[in-house]
Amino acid sequence: MQSNQRGAFSGCFGINRGHKLYPYIKGVSHNFQKQYDPKEAIEKQKIQQKQRYYERNIRRLKYARRQNDVASERKFSQAIRGYQSKLREIVKNNDFLTRQYDREQIISPNRAVIEQFRRDIRYNMTRKKITDKVSDPISKPELNKITKNFRKSGGKIFMGPEVDERLKNIGAEASVIGDDIMMISSGAGRAAIHEELIHIKQVRYYGAPSSDKDVFLREIEAGKLLLKNATKWNLTHKEIEDTKLLIKKYTMI
């Protein structure tokens, strides 16, 4: 056992080792354990380390993409797809490897909120998209100004790639959770922000919606308030027309 460096970093029972002890009786015991070729094991480890390298680079690029502006997004996305292609190839060519998608993800500060949004989606109130035509995104200074009172009262705003993806999946520009969380897509316009602030006030006044009918009535009320304040809030012609269509849609349901 001394030659095997028991307990040492690279020896038997060291860190990340899978060694086990079995009783041995001379002339009676037999070794039925699967035998491995040391050279083959080392080669497989090298290939697996290459897989880990690709995964690390995907995480690094995803984090860099989040920190940079929209203009740089395409460059980072192409680089990410390049490493993902290499991962698919190395897994395809080595049957002892499996694709581990969780190793390609970065930890998101929005993850808990995203999960809550996923669970509570049934009666969520959202600013729905009417067409695929992109709204004029609200500027960061204007967003901060409009939501100042909401944030002072303890409200939180969540934005980012995960939020964009979740809202895209339900065809919305923005949404609320309860009376203190707003989720806003990167392409949301003024109407979406004002509408979600109205929904926040509705929840604080009426309580959480308890049925689809309740949601529809609140959407209609919010739409009418948007039209009433369209000039004051400087809504675009598209936002006004979309709001009219949404009111009509919810009225006919």
Side-chain angles (χ1 to χ4, degrees):
M1 289 299 289
Q2 187 175 5
S3 63
N4 290 323
Q5 297 179 310
R6 182 176 182 178
F9 181 81
S10 59
C12 290
F13 305 101
I15 297 172
N16 289 332
R17 301 288 169 172
H19 299 123
K20 295 180 181 179
L21 279 176
Y22 293 94
Y24 175 78
I25 303 173
K26 188 175 181 179
V28 176
S29 300
H30 297 278
N31 185 357
F32 294 110
Q33 300 300 309
K34 184 178 179 179
Q35 302 299 303
Y36 295 94
D37 181 346
K39 290 183 178 179
E40 182 184 354
I42 290 172
E43 287 304 313
K44 286 184 176 180
Q45 183 190 36
K46 289 179 180 178
I47 295 172
Q48 189 181 59
Q49 289 304 310
K50 188 176 287 187
Q51 181 187 18
R52 297 287 94 86
Y53 170 76
Y54 293 154
E55 292 162 349
R56 287 196 301 274
N57 276 284
I58 289 173
R59 294 196 302 271
R60 174 181 61 79
L61 289 165
K62 283 184 175 181
Y63 183 79
R65 181 176 62 180
R66 176 188 288 177
Q67 303 302 314
N68 285 270
D69 55 27
V70 177
S72 304
E73 184 175 345
R74 184 177 179 182
K75 178 184 71 174
F76 287 112
S77 296
Q78 286 178 336
I80 290 168
R81 287 194 294 271
Y83 278 110
Q84 288 173 333
S85 176
K86 290 179 180 180
L87 262 178
R88 287 193 295 271
E89 191 69 21
I90 196 173
V91 170
K92 179 181 177 181
N93 294 334
N94 298 278
D95 56 6
F96 61 91
L97 295 180
T98 56
R99 185 83 179 265
Q100 295 178 271
Y101 293 96
D102 58 316
R103 289 180 174 271
E104 302 170 36
Q105 305 303 315
I106 55 176
I107 297 175
S108 167
N110 298 337
R111 181 171 294 178
V113 176
I114 292 289
E115 287 303 307
Q116 184 180 351
F117 179 74
R118 180 181 61 79
R119 293 192 299 269
D120 298 345
I121 190 64
R122 185 178 179 190
Y123 297 135
N124 271 6
M125 292 173 288
T126 63
R127 172 71 180 186
K128 291 288 186 180
K129 288 184 177 180
I130 295 296
T131 66
D132 291 332
K133 187 176 179 182
V134 180
S135 299
D136 293 332
I138 190 169
S139 67
K140 192 68 176 290
E142 188 175 2
L143 173 64
N144 289 338
K145 182 179 179 181
I146 293 174
T147 60
K148 181 179 179 180
N149 290 334
F150 167 67
R151 288 181 286 108
K152 283 182 69 176
S153 66
K156 296 180 181 179
I157 295 175
F158 290 87
M159 301 178 72
E162 298 91 350
V163 173
D164 283 348
E165 183 179 357
R166 179 60 62 181
L167 291 173
K168 181 181 178 181
N169 289 340
I170 63 168
E173 288 185 60
S175 185
V176 299
I177 301 177
D179 65 355
D180 61 351
I181 293 176
M182 285 177 61
M183 299 177 68
I184 303 172
S185 71
S186 56
R190 293 187 191 93
I193 309 305
H194 284 290
E195 181 172 333
E196 299 317 307
L197 287 172
I198 293 170
H199 289 322
I200 291 289
K201 290 179 180 178
Q202 288 172 330
V203 175
R204 290 178 178 179
Y205 186 79
Y206 302 122
S210 57
S211 66
D212 287 331
K213 182 180 178 181
D214 197 3
V215 170
F216 299 153
L217 290 173
R218 296 189 191 194
E219 294 287 2
I220 293 169
E221 180 184 42
K224 289 179 178 179
L225 284 170
L226 283 174
L227 295 179
K228 182 179 179 181
N229 293 279
T231 303
K232 176 183 176 182
W233 292 339
N234 198 24
L235 303 188
T236 65
H237 175 73
K238 180 183 181 301
E239 288 175 324
I240 293 171
E241 293 304 311
D242 284 355
T243 300
K244 290 177 181 178
L245 289 172
L246 285 169
I247 291 173
K248 184 178 180 181
K249 172 189 172 183
Y250 289 120
T251 304
M252 294 174 65
I253 293 176

Coordinates of all heavy atoms in Angstrom, one line a residue, residues 47-48 50-52 54-55 58 80-101 104:
I47 N -9.3 13.2 -23.9 CA -10.5 13.5 -24.8 C -11.6 14.2 -24.0 O -12.2 15.2 -24.4 CB -11.0 12.3 -25.5 CG1 -10.0 11.7 -26.5 CG2 -12.3 12.6 -26.2 CD1 -10.4 10.4 -27.1
Q48 N -11.8 13.7 -22.7 CA -12.8 14.2 -21.9 C -12.4 15.6 -21.4 O -13.2 16.5 -21.3 CB -13.0 13.4 -20.6 CG -14.2 13.8 -19.8 CD -14.3 12.9 -18.5 OE1 -13.4 12.8 -17.7 NE2 -15.5 12.3 -18.4
K50 N -10.8 17.7 -23.2 CA -11.0 18.6 -24.3 C -12.5 19.0 -24.3 O -12.9 20.1 -24.6 CB -10.7 17.9 -25.6 CG -10.8 18.7 -26.9 CD -10.4 18.0 -28.1 CE -8.9 17.8 -28.2 NZ -8.4 17.3 -29.5
Q51 N -13.4 18.0 -23.9 CA -14.8 18.4 -23.8 C -15.0 19.4 -22.7 O -15.8 20.4 -23.0 CB -15.6 17.1 -23.5 CG -17.1 17.3 -23.3 CD -17.9 16.1 -22.8 OE1 -17.3 15.2 -22.2 NE2 -19.2 16.1 -23.0
R52 N -14.4 19.3 -21.6 CA -14.5 20.3 -20.5 C -14.0 21.6 -21.0 O -14.5 22.7 -20.6 CB -13.6 19.8 -19.3 CG -14.0 18.6 -18.6 CD -15.3 18.7 -17.8 NE -16.5 18.4 -18.6 CZ -17.0 17.1 -18.7 NH1 -16.4 16.1 -18.1 NH2 -18.0 16.9 -19.4
Y54 N -14.1 22.9 -24.1 CA -15.1 23.4 -24.9 C -16.2 24.0 -24.1 O -16.7 25.1 -24.3 CB -15.7 22.4 -25.9 CG -14.7 21.9 -26.9 CD1 -14.9 20.6 -27.5 CD2 -13.7 22.7 -27.4 CE1 -14.0 20.2 -28.5 CE2 -12.8 22.2 -28.3 CZ -12.9 21.0 -28.9 OH -12.0 20.5 -29.8
E55 N -16.6 23.3 -23.0 CA -17.7 23.7 -22.2 C -17.3 25.0 -21.4 O -18.2 25.9 -21.3 CB -18.1 22.6 -21.1 CG -18.7 21.4 -21.8 CD -18.6 20.2 -20.9 OE1 -17.9 20.2 -19.8 OE2 -19.3 19.2 -21.2
I58 N -17.6 28.0 -23.8 CA -19.0 28.3 -24.0 C -19.5 29.2 -22.9 O -20.2 30.2 -23.1 CB -19.9 27.1 -24.2 CG1 -19.6 26.4 -25.5 CG2 -21.4 27.4 -24.1 CD1 -20.3 25.0 -25.7
I80 N -19.9 31.1 -29.8 CA -20.6 30.0 -29.0 C -21.0 28.9 -29.9 O -20.8 27.7 -29.5 CB -21.8 30.6 -28.2 CG1 -21.3 31.6 -27.2 CG2 -22.6 29.5 -27.6 CD1 -22.4 32.4 -26.6
R81 N -21.6 29.2 -31.0 CA -22.1 28.1 -31.9 C -20.9 27.3 -32.4 O -21.0 26.1 -32.7 CB -22.8 28.7 -33.1 CG -24.2 29.2 -32.7 CD -25.1 29.5 -33.9 NE -24.6 30.6 -34.7 CZ -24.9 31.8 -34.6 NH1 -25.8 32.1 -33.6 NH2 -24.5 32.8 -35.3
G82 N -19.7 27.9 -32.6 CA -18.6 27.2 -33.0 C -18.1 26.2 -32.0 O -17.8 25.0 -32.4
Y83 N -18.1 26.5 -30.8 CA -17.7 25.6 -29.7 C -18.8 24.5 -29.5 O -18.5 23.3 -29.2 CB -17.4 26.3 -28.4 CG -16.0 26.9 -28.3 CD1 -15.8 28.3 -28.4 CD2 -14.9 26.1 -28.2 CE1 -14.5 28.8 -28.3 CE2 -13.6 26.6 -28.2 CZ -13.5 28.0 -28.2 OH -12.2 28.5 -28.2
Q84 N -20.0 24.9 -29.7 CA -21.1 23.9 -29.6 C -21.0 22.8 -30.7 O -21.3 21.7 -30.5 CB -22.5 24.6 -29.6 CG -22.8 25.4 -28.3 CD -24.1 26.2 -28.5 OE1 -24.5 26.6 -29.5 NE2 -24.7 26.4 -27.3
S85 N -20.6 23.3 -31.9 CA -20.4 22.4 -33.0 C -19.3 21.4 -32.7 O -19.4 20.2 -33.0 CB -20.1 23.2 -34.3 OG -19.8 22.3 -35.4
K86 N -18.2 21.9 -32.1 CA -17.0 21.1 -31.7 C -17.5 20.0 -30.7 O -17.0 18.9 -30.7 CB -15.9 21.9 -31.2 CG -15.2 22.7 -32.3 CD -14.1 23.6 -31.7 CE -13.4 24.4 -32.7 NZ -12.3 25.2 -32.2
L87 N -18.3 20.5 -29.7 CA -18.8 19.6 -28.7 C -19.7 18.4 -29.3 O -19.5 17.3 -29.0 CB -19.7 20.3 -27.7 CG -19.0 20.8 -26.4 CD1 -20.0 21.6 -25.6 CD2 -18.5 19.6 -25.6
R88 N -20.5 18.8 -30.2 CA -21.4 17.8 -30.9 C -20.5 16.7 -31.6 O -20.7 15.5 -31.6 CB -22.3 18.4 -31.9 CG -23.5 19.2 -31.2 CD -24.6 19.5 -32.3 NE -24.1 20.4 -33.3 CZ -24.1 21.8 -33.2 NH1 -24.7 22.3 -32.1 NH2 -23.7 22.6 -34.1
E89 N -19.4 17.2 -32.2 CA -18.5 16.4 -33.0 C -17.8 15.4 -32.1 O -17.7 14.2 -32.3 CB -17.6 17.2 -33.8 CG -16.8 16.5 -34.8 CD -17.6 16.0 -36.0 OE1 -18.7 16.5 -36.2 OE2 -17.1 15.0 -36.7
I90 N -17.2 16.0 -31.0 CA -16.4 15.1 -30.1 C -17.3 14.1 -29.4 O -16.9 12.9 -29.2 CB -15.6 16.0 -29.1 CG1 -14.5 15.2 -28.4 CG2 -16.6 16.5 -28.0 CD1 -13.6 16.0 -27.5
V91 N -18.5 14.4 -29.0 CA -19.4 13.5 -28.4 C -19.9 12.4 -29.4 O -19.9 11.2 -29.1 CB -20.7 14.2 -27.8 CG1 -21.7 13.2 -27.4 CG2 -20.3 15.1 -26.7
K92 N -20.1 12.8 -30.6 CA -20.5 11.9 -31.7 C -19.4 10.8 -32.0 O -19.7 9.7 -32.2 CB -20.8 12.7 -33.0 CG -21.2 11.8 -34.2 CD -21.5 12.7 -35.4 CE -21.9 11.8 -36.6 NZ -22.1 12.6 -37.8
N93 N -18.1 11.3 -31.9 CA -17.0 10.4 -32.3 C -16.5 9.6 -31.1 O -15.6 8.7 -31.3 CB -15.9 11.2 -32.9 CG -16.2 11.9 -34.2 OD1 -17.1 11.4 -34.9 ND2 -15.6 13.0 -34.5
N94 N -17.0 9.8 -29.9 CA -16.5 9.1 -28.7 C -17.7 8.6 -27.9 O -18.3 9.4 -27.2 CB -15.6 10.0 -27.9 CG -14.4 10.4 -28.6 OD1 -13.4 9.7 -28.7 ND2 -14.4 11.6 -29.2
D95 N -18.0 7.3 -28.0 CA -19.3 6.8 -27.4 C -19.2 6.8 -25.9 O -20.3 6.6 -25.3 CB -19.6 5.4 -27.9 CG -18.4 4.4 -27.7 OD1 -17.4 4.8 -27.1 OD2 -18.5 3.3 -28.2
F96 N -18.1 7.0 -25.3 CA -18.0 7.0 -23.8 C -18.3 8.4 -23.3 O -18.4 8.6 -22.1 CB -16.6 6.6 -23.3 CG -15.5 7.5 -23.8 CD1 -15.1 8.6 -23.0 CD2 -14.8 7.2 -25.0 CE1 -14.0 9.4 -23.5 CE2 -13.8 8.0 -25.4 CZ -13.4 9.1 -24.7
L97 N -18.5 9.4 -24.2 CA -18.9 10.8 -23.8 C -20.4 11.0 -24.0 O -21.0 10.4 -24.8 CB -18.1 11.8 -24.6 CG -16.6 11.9 -24.5 CD1 -16.1 13.0 -25.4 CD2 -16.2 12.1 -23.0
T98 N -20.9 11.9 -23.1 CA -22.3 12.3 -23.3 C -22.4 13.8 -23.2 O -21.5 14.5 -22.5 CB -23.2 11.8 -22.2 OG1 -22.7 12.1 -20.9 CG2 -23.4 10.3 -22.3
R99 N -23.3 14.5 -23.9 CA -23.4 15.9 -23.9 C -24.0 16.3 -22.5 O -25.1 15.9 -22.2 CB -24.3 16.4 -25.0 CG -24.5 17.9 -25.2 CD -23.4 18.5 -26.0 NE -23.5 19.9 -26.2 CZ -24.1 20.4 -27.3 NH1 -24.5 19.7 -28.2 NH2 -24.2 21.8 -27.4
Q100 N -23.4 17.2 -21.8 CA -23.8 17.6 -20.5 C -24.2 19.1 -20.6 O -23.3 20.0 -20.4 CB -22.8 17.4 -19.4 CG -22.5 15.9 -19.2 CD -21.4 15.6 -18.2 OE1 -20.2 15.6 -18.6 NE2 -21.8 15.5 -16.9
Y101 N -25.4 19.4 -20.9 CA -25.9 20.7 -21.2 C -25.7 21.7 -20.0 O -25.5 22.9 -20.2 CB -27.3 20.7 -21.7 CG -27.5 20.1 -23.1 CD1 -27.8 18.8 -23.2 CD2 -27.2 20.8 -24.2 CE1 -28.0 18.2 -24.4 CE2 -27.3 20.2 -25.5 CZ -27.7 18.9 -25.6 OH -27.8 18.3 -26.8
E104 N -22.7 23.8 -19.8 CA -22.6 24.9 -20.8 C -23.4 26.1 -20.4 O -23.4 27.2 -21.1 CB -23.2 24.4 -22.2 CG -22.5 23.2 -22.7 CD -23.2 22.6 -23.9 OE1 -23.7 23.4 -24.8 OE2 -23.2 21.4 -24.1

